[in-house]
Amino acid sequence: NADDVTEHVALAIYKGENIPLFGSVGDLTLGAYGINRNQAETASDVYIWDVYANFLYKKLYMEGELVNIRGSSRAIALPGSINADGDPLLKDVDIWGYVARVGYKTSDLTAYFETGYASGDDAVADSNFTGRALHPDYNVGLLLYDQVLAVASANSWGDSAAALWSGGGVYNSRYINPIIRIAPIANWEIIAGFVNIWPDRPDGSIIQCTEDDLANPELSCGSSPSDKANATAKSIGWEADLAVKARLHNHILFSIESGYAKATDRIKLENVNLNPEGTFFTLQTRMAYEF
């Protein structure tokens, strides 16, 4: 039974809608969970912590979530990731991620500023494992995360390390994403957003390094001090998105959305079979019937 996984979960949540707050009424949700996961065969002992908050008071809107994964494991068998000293497979795990929003929210108008982060790993061959994308179901923009970095990570890691593909989630970076939503008429809404992305720990492979990165003692930027700086831009890129969505006859959902993105030389686009000019465009539409 050494390959059995044992998991313990603790969860607590408070949800209050239209509750008394500071002499008025508002919404407040607070939640947290903790997980401990063990497996004897891989000497895995991992803890996952997550906290969440949602607050709406007199049209002031705040929401945020923070996650941390820590512990140790011998289960992370990555290509070329054999440690030089000690146990060749044992890795200390310390992964962080967060998303936070603040803004103004009504039924007709919502405007907020969002920022988020997923920690990266600039040297998978050492004894520390620090990089993991946020869940791909949490979509930020239409192109840079959902397509460009998804393809770049998949083509760079290959099938042997498919678990480390971003899958379209926030990957090894921090971002800002201001969004405005207006509802000009009932059941119709227009949403506009802008995304700008900066790398967390460039690895010299998927995310290229600059001269400043090579000079940073906290970054290895690959496996060799002789690695050259292949990037000049500080950011990974930016994109602008626009969408129109509607609910017709209570059951029919319609949307049309478009995005334009510009990726910088932080990603070696020609090496991952993407447009080397760095410009990307998408136009998407969908219709669904909701029972």
Side-chain angles (χ1 to χ4, degrees):
N1 296 325
D3 61 344
D4 289 355
V5 175
T6 302
E7 180 172 280
H8 303 277
V9 181
L11 169 69
I13 187 168
Y14 169 80
K15 185 176 180 67
E17 295 181 343
N18 294 319
I19 60 174
L21 282 175
F22 311 114
S24 183
V25 294
D27 299 340
L28 176 63
T29 298
L30 299 172
Y33 71 77
I35 299 174
N36 177 228
R37 188 174 297 161
N38 295 273
Q39 186 184 41
E41 185 176 60
T42 59
S44 296
D45 188 12
V46 177
Y47 293 86
I48 304 171
W49 308 96
D50 187 288
V51 292
Y52 170 80
N54 186 309
F55 177 75
L56 179 63
Y57 174 74
K58 290 186 176 181
K59 303 174 184 178
L60 171 65
Y61 163 60
M62 293 187 291
E63 186 175 16
E65 186 168 4
L66 172 70
V67 62
N68 175 230
I69 305 172
R70 60 174 56 243
S72 60
S73 176
R74 300 183 73 254
I76 308 168
L78 306 177
S81 65
I82 297 177
N83 304 332
D85 53 358
D87 190 322
L89 290 178
L90 184 64
K91 288 187 178 292
D92 293 322
V93 181
D94 191 12
I95 298 169
W96 289 88
Y98 68 77
V99 175
R101 293 175 176 174
V102 60
Y104 175 89
K105 186 174 185 178
T106 69
S107 59
D108 298 328
L109 171 65
T110 300
Y112 62 82
F113 179 87
E114 175 179 307
T115 184
Y117 168 77
S119 62
D121 194 333
D122 58 333
V124 297
D126 65 10
S127 60
N128 298 311
F129 185 63
T130 60
R132 184 74 173 175
L134 300 188
H135 198 287
D137 282 352
Y138 188 77
N139 298 111
V140 176
L142 298 173
L143 286 165
L144 287 178
Y145 283 127
D146 203 46
Q147 300 295 327
V148 177
L149 278 169
V151 171
S153 62
N155 288 354
S156 297
W157 281 114
D159 293 339
S160 60
L164 293 184
W165 298 1
S166 77
V170 177
Y171 177 84
N172 192 3
S173 62
R174 53 179 44 84
Y175 71 88
I176 59 171
N177 183 206
I179 291 179
I180 184 168
R181 168 197 163 274
I182 59 173
I185 57 177
N187 299 321
W188 285 82
E189 60 181 7
I190 301 171
I191 305 169
F194 178 82
V195 182
N196 206 352
I197 303 171
W198 294 268
D200 178 43
R201 302 186 70 85
D203 55 9
S205 175
I206 300 171
I207 299 178
Q208 303 301 307
C209 302
T210 64
E211 293 286 355
D212 290 341
D213 295 331
L214 292 178
N216 187 342
E218 296 183 359
L219 296 175
S220 66
C221 271
S223 59
S224 171
S226 63
D227 287 344
K228 295 180 180 179
N230 294 314
T232 58
K234 291 185 177 181
S235 72
I236 293 175
W238 60 267
E239 73 173 270
D241 303 308
L242 180 66
V244 177
K245 300 185 178 184
R247 177 182 288 271
L248 310 172
H249 304 291
N250 293 324
H251 296 286
I252 299 174
L253 305 179
F254 168 79
S255 72
I256 182 169
E257 49 192 2
S258 179
Y260 176 84
K262 178 66 176 178
T264 70
D265 58 0
R266 281 289 194 170
I267 304 175
K268 210 101 172 154
L269 297 166
E270 60 272 19
N271 289 359
V272 289
N273 300 318
L274 291 171
N275 177 18
E277 295 182 0
T279 56
F280 301 89
F281 175 78
T282 184
L283 179 64
Q284 307 173 16
T285 185
R286 63 182 58 87
M287 184 174 288
Y289 190 91
E290 185 180 73
F291 295 92

